[in-house]
Amino acid sequence: MSISVLGAGAFGTALAICLSRAAPVTLWSRDDDHAREMREGRENARRLPNHPFPDDLTVTASLPDACDADVVLLAVPMQQLRPLVAAHAEYLQTKTLVACCKGMDLESGAGPIEVLAGHLSETTSALLTGPSFANDIAAGLPTGLTLACADENTGRALQHQLSTPSLRLYRTTDTIGASLGGALKNVIAIACGAAMGAGLGESARAALLTRGFAEMQRLALYKGAQARTLSGLSGFGDLVLTCTSKQSRNYRLGVSIGAGKGFDPSTTVEGSATARAAARAAQEEGLDMPITSAVAGLVEKRLDVTDAINGLLSRSLKEE
């Protein structure tokens, strides 16, 4: 089966590089000039420099050509997923689609699988998520991810097709848990970064990470997820990586907020929109998610770090 990757950001490019070491892969960029640069230079100098393309990696700016593949990986930012599939449903319908983005759609609160199902009734959809950085995947460093697909037979086939000697995929049918784990961990990473940027220390970060994990479970279980999914790669594993590494854009945004410094607005930070969507969902459903609500206040600039911390510390004492 042939594979295409839609989205020539760092993560999409890394997946294309990794997968094309084993079989031909097509990488799509919406930008003609960017596609030409990658074809000529045989690397993505804009988004993932110093990782040469394998010979079996083809670059195109033609969406119909890219969608000619049997399996299409959608490696676009979460807030771009709905506009992409809505505008190009004719090319994506009937394909096996694998969403590779993490987050909640700001307008609807939906996750990647729900977005695809809402626009593409004839497709089979899966989600690829878990603790990973683009540089590690492109360099061939060992990485474990979760492949979530409601159809077990399709999930099993995709697991074998997309696993490589350096990329090990674990399969689950719990698409809700995998989706929410990957989305909500970005929110907690912003909180942890803000604590470190404000100089609150490692102990504060550990407390935020742990209590943030409880919030992730609270919303995910309410939505019908399985607890063990949140304890796996797509939940706890991704949470630990994202909350402790400066490679994480969500963590770096939090650090900049905590330190009172500016942050490049062109950098995609999925946790910013997800915090707002998750806080709204928690309020509507009557769920207690104070860290998520605080992060939403920070990214919307309704709160500063001092207000957010004071609000969390002044809450009534409770059992763990």
Side-chain angles (χ1 to χ4, degrees), residues 201-217:
E202 300 279 357
S203 297
R205 175 168 62 179
L208 285 168
L209 190 156
T210 306
R211 297 310 306 160
F213 183 54
E215 290 191 17
M216 290 169 56
Q217 293 176 301

Side-chain angles (χ1 to χ4, degrees), residues 201-291:
E202 300 279 357
S203 297
R205 175 168 62 179
L208 285 168
L209 190 156
T210 306
R211 297 310 306 160
F213 183 54
E215 290 191 17
M216 290 169 56
Q217 293 176 301
R218 195 170 298 139
L219 180 59
L221 294 178
Y222 179 84
K223 294 287 190 180
Q226 300 171 14
R228 66 180 182 180
T229 306
L230 273 295
S231 297
L233 288 167
S234 59
F236 183 71
D238 213 355
L239 177 70
V240 171
L241 181 70
T242 311
C243 291
T244 59
S245 174
K246 292 181 180 178
Q247 287 193 67
S248 164
R249 290 169 291 185
N250 294 277
Y251 180 77
R252 294 202 310 272
L253 172 63
V255 170
S256 71
I257 292 173
K261 297 180 179 179
F263 190 79
D264 182 0
S266 67
T267 302
T268 300
V269 182
E270 300 283 24
S272 180
T274 298
R276 296 157 65 191
R280 184 175 66 233
Q283 183 177 28
E284 290 172 352
E285 304 297 343
L287 299 175
D288 187 31
M289 298 182 66
I291 298 173

Side-chain angles (χ1 to χ4, degrees), residues 7-193:
F11 193 66
T13 301
L15 287 173
I17 290 172
C18 178
L19 295 172
S20 65
R21 293 188 180 117
V25 173
T26 298
L27 175 64
W28 173 80
S29 170
R30 68 174 70 244
D31 185 326
D32 287 327
D33 290 338
H34 190 199
R36 177 182 50 78
E37 289 173 14
M38 289 189 287
R39 281 196 298 270
E40 294 175 355
R42 299 303 297 166
E43 70 168 348
N44 188 345
R46 296 189 189 184
R47 301 288 184 239
L48 194 68
N50 304 316
H51 290 288
F53 288 175
D55 291 340
D56 276 341
L57 177 52
T58 300
V59 180
T60 184
S62 168
L63 189 65
D65 288 350
C67 291
D68 192 43
D70 300 305
V71 177
V72 179
L73 276 62
L74 301 168
V76 299
M78 182 63 210
Q79 304 310 316
Q80 295 180 18
L81 182 63
R82 180 170 49 83
L84 176 70
V85 298
H88 303 294
E90 62 184 301
Y91 301 119
L92 298 170
Q93 200 74 264
T94 75
K95 301 293 180 181
T96 298
L97 303 179
V98 181
C100 303
C101 46
K102 303 173 183 179
M104 297 171 67
D105 181 67
L106 184 56
E107 181 176 307
S108 65
I113 295 289
E114 296 168 296
V115 169
L116 296 180
H119 291 86
L120 304 167
S121 59
E122 299 176 37
T123 61
T124 301
S125 301
L127 176 69
L128 187 64
T129 184
S132 57
F133 289 133
N135 277 304
D136 293 348
I137 291 176
L141 298 178
T143 303
L145 295 177
T146 295
L147 178 75
C149 184
D151 183 274
E152 189 166 0
N153 290 331
T154 299
R156 192 181 302 275
L158 286 171
Q159 180 185 31
H160 286 282
Q161 185 177 8
L162 300 178
S163 291
T164 75
S166 62
L167 185 63
R168 181 177 176 85
L169 304 188
Y170 290 82
R171 188 180 70 256
T172 181
T173 57
D174 181 12
T175 58
I176 297 173
S179 176
L180 286 173
L184 297 174
K185 58 89 184 179
N186 285 331
V187 179
I188 308 308
I190 295 175
C192 288

